[in-house]
Amino acid sequence: MNIPELLQLQRNFFNTEKTRDILYLKNSLKSLKKEIINREEDIYKALERDFKKSKFETYLSEIGIVLSELDLAIKNIHKWSKPKRVFPSILNFPSSDYIYSEPYGTVLIIGPWNYPFQLTLAPMIAAITAGNTAIIKPSELTPHTSNLVEDIITKVFQKEHVAIVQGGIPETTELLAQKWDYIFFTGSVPVGKIVAKAAAVHMTPVTLELGGKNPCIIDGTMNLKLTAKRLVWGKFVNAGQTCIAPDYLLVKSEFKNSLIKNLKTEIEKAYTINPETSPDYPRIINKKNLDRLTKMLDNDKIIHGGAYNNNDNFLAPTIMDEPTLDSEVMKDEIFGPILPILTYNTEEDIKNTINNYEKPLAFYVFSNNKKFVKKLMSQYSFGGGVINDTMIHFGNHRLPFGGVGDSGIGAYHGRLGFDTFTHQKAVVKKGNWLDIPMRYAPYKGKLKQLKSMFNWFD
Ligand code: NAD
């Protein structure tokens, strides 16, 4: 079946209103949960084959997140789908006012390779909980996981409800040429712009979950050992191939040497002195990305790691000391296990570095100085951030997850995911037991009364 036919099939299915049947949706979500649990070992194997991801990281960042989004959706679908009554306006008295959450219709979800299970299935769960149909285009760079996602989806859903289209640029280009009711894209900024342009042709709303150069400021007032431990986790989980990983550090000059010492110790503790043999350290996704990363390495600046192996796309956790802002590693998002350490002395230095880049997806600060933290939180624009740790804001479904400016448009997770995939439709039910004559012409002598009514307006 070609892409336009598949899309038409989904449109026809959406028009039957089957996707508005809460019981049907709830059962589908439950079947998906059961299938994921049944295939747990296969999921571990697929991620291991794609880039040597450990079972622990696969559960933490892929399976666990998808299952908790599923549990939340199963528990709340009924409540979320109901029209929400809101306080009416005095101007409309008497009336009852509602917000209806209306599914958009047929949705396209395009996923990246770095968390290939979670970043395709979590948006899909939100999309179908909201009553849409969905076509998912997983990444072509993780064939084992993408095929497994297809297996799972095909087993649980009829293709008129949820379907997978595999492929790379040509297939995605063909998908983007169609008219969708919503597009949800996770990936790089340049491709995000391609998606936004394609969507604009059809006035299709989009969520764009993109990336950026995420700063991490360390002023030395927090314990440096704990700082280093949390940084090493955040930077080297998934071998640094995480959109919200700290990209570079900005440490107060006088604490740099001590921080570096702690970082080296923590890297060795986590991955031993030979990370290539560590069962917990993943590989770079492919040779092209390994080449992209090794071009960033500058031997004069490397103070830890730097080793790589072209045969299995290994790149050691690496620290670079004070690369200049015009060096390769400081140009674009690193998206790999290289940690540049820059220093600052004044708040002006921080500003000069951060403002060199577009608004980041994530922002981190390690500090016990409340005033300093408060200032940073309001001074800089970023998608989401953490004080005294990294990445953990992702783990709370009550927090919106998304970017701002170049790092993205829109947000999701939990209830917000449901909202993302629904149009919030305003409905006012006017009462007939009273009909205040004031608004009707002729208006002579009514202006004063009108003004006083606006004073009641809240
Ligand atoms: P990518 O943009 O290269 O690819 C993403 C998807 O777009 C893939 O499915 C791919 O097949 C498709 N694609 C690639 N080139 C295309 C083109 N020219 N036309 C149409 N489709 C195209 O991104 P990636 O390399 O898979 O992922 C890495 C990027 O994703 C990083 O920048 C990272 O920060 C970002 N990311 C963001 C989030 C987030 O939630 N904000 C999460 C993960 C990754």
Side-chain angles (χ1 to χ4, degrees):
M1 181 175 283
N2 65 33
I3 288 170
E5 284 168 358
L6 182 59
L7 181 55
Q8 191 53 48
L9 192 73
Q10 290 210 343
R11 257 187 215 298
N12 295 343
F13 185 68
F14 181 78
N15 290 338
T16 65
E17 296 194 18
K18 188 72 184 160
T19 66
R20 313 294 279 273
D21 174 347
I22 304 296
L23 193 65
Y24 167 76
L25 292 182
K26 208 167 175 171
N27 285 336
S28 304
L29 293 168
K30 282 182 182 165
S31 306
L32 178 60
K33 181 178 171 184
K34 200 165 146 209
E35 188 59 17
I36 290 173
I37 291 169
N38 285 344
R39 305 292 294 268
E40 188 175 329
E41 284 304 320
D42 294 338
I43 302 168
Y44 291 136
K45 254 185 238 153
L47 267 299
E48 217 273 332
R49 284 182 185 153
D50 280 331
F51 60 115
K52 216 167 169 286
K53 190 155 160 161
S54 67
K55 276 189 176 184
F56 183 88
E57 284 193 14
T58 296
Y59 198 89
L60 174 75
S61 63
E62 307 268 10
I63 302 173
I65 287 178
V66 170
L67 289 179
S68 55
E69 285 284 335
L70 267 171
D71 284 338
L72 200 73
I74 292 166
K75 188 171 156 216
N76 291 295
I77 184 168
H78 198 74
K79 186 170 95 191
W80 291 347
S81 306
K82 270 195 210 155
K84 197 166 83 189
R85 195 161 175 184
V86 295
F87 207 73
S89 167
I90 187 83
L91 293 176
N92 299 334
F93 186 80
S95 79
S96 320
D97 295 16
Y98 301 89
I99 299 172
Y100 280 64
S101 294
E102 173 190 76
Y104 282 106
T106 50
V107 164
L108 172 64
I109 294 166
I110 303 171
W113 54 262
N114 64 329
Y115 290 91
F117 189 74
Q118 183 239 122
L119 292 175
T120 47
L121 290 185
M124 184 280 272
I125 290 162
I128 66 152
T129 304
N132 300 282
T133 66
I135 292 181
I136 305 173
K137 208 300 287 176
S139 175
E140 70 280 25
L141 302 189
T142 47
H144 297 98
T145 311
S146 297
N147 287 338
L148 182 61
V149 168
E150 180 169 1
D151 258 22
I152 292 173
I153 292 300
T154 314
K155 179 126 192 245
V156 176
F157 296 95
Q158 301 166 264
K159 62 176 176 300
E160 41 269 67
H161 191 192
V162 185
I164 304 279
V165 171
Q166 301 280 8
I169 297 178
E171 293 77 8
T172 320
T173 306
E174 194 186 346
L175 284 165
L176 287 171
Q178 314 301 314
K179 182 174 166 59
W180 300 90
D181 298 302
Y182 202 91
I183 300 176
F184 188 102
F185 171 80
T186 308
S188 61
V189 178
V191 182
K193 289 179 181 172
I194 294 173
V195 173
K197 270 192 198 154
V201 173
H202 301 291
M203 291 295 278
T204 301
V206 289
T207 293
L208 301 175
E209 295 280 342
L210 311 176
K213 236 173 150 48
N214 307 320
C216 177
I217 299 155
I218 296 135
D219 74 352
T221 56
M222 179 178 150
N223 177 294
L224 288 180
K225 187 172 166 355
L226 186 58
T227 301
K229 196 198 271 186
R230 291 177 179 174
L231 275 173
V232 165
W233 176 76
K235 181 69 188 186
F236 300 113
V237 150
N238 221 38
Q241 301 165 112
T242 306
C243 55
I244 49 170
D247 189 277
Y248 62 95
L249 306 186
L250 257 173
V251 57
K252 193 140 196 227
S253 305
E254 64 210 83
F255 299 105
K256 184 180 81 172
N257 290 341
S258 177
L259 180 69
I260 289 173
K261 204 170 131 232
N262 280 290
L263 284 168
K264 288 180 180 178
T265 308
E266 293 303 328
I267 290 172
E268 285 180 6
K269 259 199 216 160
Y271 304 112
T272 75
I273 48 163
N274 185 6
E276 196 164 3
T277 58
S278 162
D280 298 328
Y281 190 67
R283 293 301 178 257
I284 304 307
I285 189 65
N286 59 12
K287 178 79 171 58
K288 193 173 155 206
N289 270 282
L290 181 69
D291 289 346
R292 180 183 63 78
L293 289 163
T294 53
K295 276 200 196 100
M296 296 178 188
L297 299 175
D298 171 354
N299 283 334
D300 292 342
K301 303 284 179 189
I302 294 173
I303 50 169
H304 187 85
Y308 58 93
N309 182 350
N310 284 310
N311 294 329
D312 76 341
N313 297 330
F314 164 79
L315 174 57
T318 298
I319 305 177
M320 285 173 69
D321 187 14
E322 309 241 16
T324 55
L325 290 188
D326 60 358
S327 62
E328 219 38 59
V329 75
M330 290 309 294
K331 276 187 188 148
D332 295 313
E333 178 188 18
I334 297 170
F335 214 58
I338 306 173
L339 183 63
I341 304 190
L342 313 185
T343 51
Y344 75 89
N345 291 310
T346 64
E347 289 184 20
E348 201 55 28
D349 297 341
I350 297 179
K351 195 156 101 187
N352 289 339
T353 304
I354 292 179
N355 287 351
N356 212 38
Y357 303 101
E358 297 294 341
K359 293 177 180 179
L361 182 62
F363 186 102
Y364 304 114
V365 53
F366 286 79
S367 170
N368 284 331
N369 180 341
K370 281 188 193 160
K371 224 170 123 191
F372 177 60
V373 168
K374 200 172 162 197
K375 192 164 174 211
L376 290 176
M377 288 299 123
S378 61
Q379 185 175 359
Y380 294 101
S381 179
F382 51 87
V386 184
I387 300 153
N388 295 340
D389 208 332
T390 62
M391 307 219 293
I392 55 170
H393 57 306
F394 190 90
N396 182 356
H397 67 79
R398 291 168 204 88
L399 291 172
F401 183 76
V404 58
D406 275 35
S407 59
I409 296 172
Y412 72 127
H413 280 184
R415 163 83 210 217
L416 276 154
F418 179 91
D419 292 345
T420 288
F421 285 104
T422 50
H423 162 59
Q424 307 290 293
K425 194 158 73 178
V427 175
V428 174
K429 183 174 181 285
K430 183 72 180 171
N432 295 336
W433 58 273
L434 178 70
D435 195 42
I436 299 173
M438 199 207 23
R439 69 177 149 139
Y440 303 111
Y443 302 130
K444 196 162 177 280
K446 292 181 175 173
L447 188 59
K448 200 171 157 207
Q449 203 185 346
L450 178 68
K451 282 184 181 173
S452 74
M453 273 196 87
F454 269 94
N455 287 338
W456 282 84
F457 194 67
D458 62 347

